[in-house]
Amino acid sequence: MRLVLISDTHLPVRAKRLPDPVWDAIDEADVVIHAGDWVSVELLDELESRSRRLIGCWGNNDGPVLRARLPEVARASLDGLEVAVVHETGASRGREERCESAFPGVDLLVFGHSHIPWDTTTPKGLRLLNPGSPTDRRRQPFCTFQTAEITAGRLEKVALHNL
């Protein structure tokens, strides 16, 4: 199962559209995960129409229409891997412990908000991934997104893509 992870797209404020390499990855993916701050309802509609499966949550910059259509925390079981998606996890210091406590039984937590790519695993095995932003790099050297694969309940081939 091929995944594409994106967050903090902020369309059309930070960009008019997602970069072509992101759309190419989406077209090849089995599941697209968006960790909030869409800003544009049109992007949600487009991702719903182009994705085989879309899992997403709302972020702090998403208005009432997006919040009505998306959960604060999205959850899914993907090929035996328990996944949660949330926009914000707080400060980087203590993140692993907070998330382990807040998301028991979850194998993979995808989050956003900071626009800073993140990939760690907690002592109890919770994988934390933040794909950064494909449209607003802020203080990062590149705009980014992530891809990964799930095989028999195991997360594999996690890759960060610079744009």
Side-chain angles (χ1 to χ4, degrees), residues 36-92:
D37 273 4
W38 308 68
V39 179
S40 165
V41 173
E42 291 78 18
L43 177 60
L44 173 58
D45 292 339
E46 190 171 8
L47 278 174
E48 284 180 333
S49 71
R50 280 183 76 165
S51 303
R52 288 182 183 94
R53 181 173 181 187
L54 176 64
I55 302 166
C57 66
W58 56 260
N60 61 297
N61 285 298
D62 295 326
V65 175
L66 285 162
R67 290 178 188 223
R69 291 179 55 186
L70 296 162
E72 182 176 10
V73 178
R75 294 176 183 269
S77 184
L78 300 176
D79 195 22
L81 192 80
E82 297 304 315
V83 179
V85 184
V86 65
H87 184 62
E88 191 169 352
T89 60
S92 60

Side-chain angles (χ1 to χ4, degrees), residues 80-155:
L81 192 80
E82 297 304 315
V83 179
V85 184
V86 65
H87 184 62
E88 191 169 352
T89 60
S92 60
R93 185 174 195 168
R95 177 175 285 141
E96 284 85 2
E97 295 79 13
R98 274 193 318 278
C99 291
E100 248 179 13
S101 176
F103 295 95
V106 171
D107 302 306
L108 169 62
L109 178 64
V110 180
F111 66 99
H113 188 64
S114 68
H115 298 221
I116 300 170
W118 185 277
D119 183 352
T120 58
T121 303
T122 70
K124 293 181 183 175
L126 172 63
R127 186 78 174 262
L128 300 169
L129 295 177
N130 182 330
S133 171
T135 57
D136 184 9
R137 65 183 180 88
R138 287 192 183 164
R139 295 173 302 279
Q140 300 303 300
F142 302 100
C143 290
T144 57
F145 72 102
Q146 290 173 321
T147 57
E149 291 183 13
I150 300 173
T151 304
R154 295 182 51 89
L155 187 68

